[in-house]
Amino acid sequence: MIKYYKDEEIQNRVRRVVDQRSLSYIDPNRVVCFKSKGTKSKRIIARCWSLPTIWQKALEVDAHYVIEVISEKFDRLSEEQKDHVILHELLHIPKGFGGGLRHHKQLKNALEKLR
Ligand SMILES: [Zn+2]
């Protein structure tokens, strides 16, 4: 079974990366960070979860995102690699911060613009 823990360290990392990369369209207060343990998937280091528009309306909340890092994979990375993973996940969030996600193809373009 997967266990989820809210993670303040990841939360601070998100704030810092958003700042450093000038991702001003991202509201870090609405990016909730979790660390999980027990995922079966062998490849995933982290993932970004969205709250679709219909759920925002149903629950009467604004758009939020969750960044989940997989403890077994993420914890052994260097600081630099961790930042890179977080940046990658943040780039999944579209400019509109509306509740959708950008695919990897769109992400490539976004990454190139940052360089
Ligand atoms: Zn990705």
Side-chain angles (χ1 to χ4, degrees), residues 34-66:
F34 281 84
K35 188 172 273 189
S36 70
K37 287 181 181 171
T39 298
K40 291 256 167 66
S41 164
K42 294 220 164 101
R43 290 205 182 148
I44 296 167
I45 303 172
R47 49 193 159 198
C48 187
W49 299 86
S50 66
L51 185 66
T53 315
I54 188 77
W55 276 111
Q56 292 172 38
K57 288 191 186 296
L59 303 174
E60 295 177 14
V61 292
D62 291 330
H64 282 72
Y65 288 87
V66 168

Side-chain angles (χ1 to χ4, degrees), residues 1-95:
M1 206 174 84
I2 304 177
K3 286 193 173 168
Y4 298 99
Y5 311 87
K6 262 197 187 171
D7 194 299
E8 200 56 37
E9 195 220 307
I10 308 296
Q11 197 75 50
N12 290 332
R13 197 177 290 274
V14 161
R15 287 178 197 284
R16 184 167 48 72
V17 172
V18 163
D19 239 43
Q20 283 173 348
R21 299 293 185 148
S22 309
L23 304 173
S24 50
Y25 57 92
I26 293 177
D27 177 0
N29 294 323
R30 288 193 277 147
V31 179
V32 189
C33 300
F34 281 84
K35 188 172 273 189
S36 70
K37 287 181 181 171
T39 298
K40 291 256 167 66
S41 164
K42 294 220 164 101
R43 290 205 182 148
I44 296 167
I45 303 172
R47 49 193 159 198
C48 187
W49 299 86
S50 66
L51 185 66
T53 315
I54 188 77
W55 276 111
Q56 292 172 38
K57 288 191 186 296
L59 303 174
E60 295 177 14
V61 292
D62 291 330
H64 282 72
Y65 288 87
V66 168
I67 288 181
E68 172 199 357
V69 304
I70 312 301
S71 175
E72 291 89 339
K73 294 281 190 306
F74 189 83
D75 291 349
R76 61 169 86 136
L77 300 178
S78 70
E79 291 303 302
E80 205 184 340
Q81 287 170 321
K82 285 178 180 173
D83 275 4
H84 188 81
V85 168
I86 294 301
L87 175 63
H88 176 102
E89 296 312 319
L90 286 171
L91 288 177
H92 274 295
I93 300 173
K95 287 254 159 82

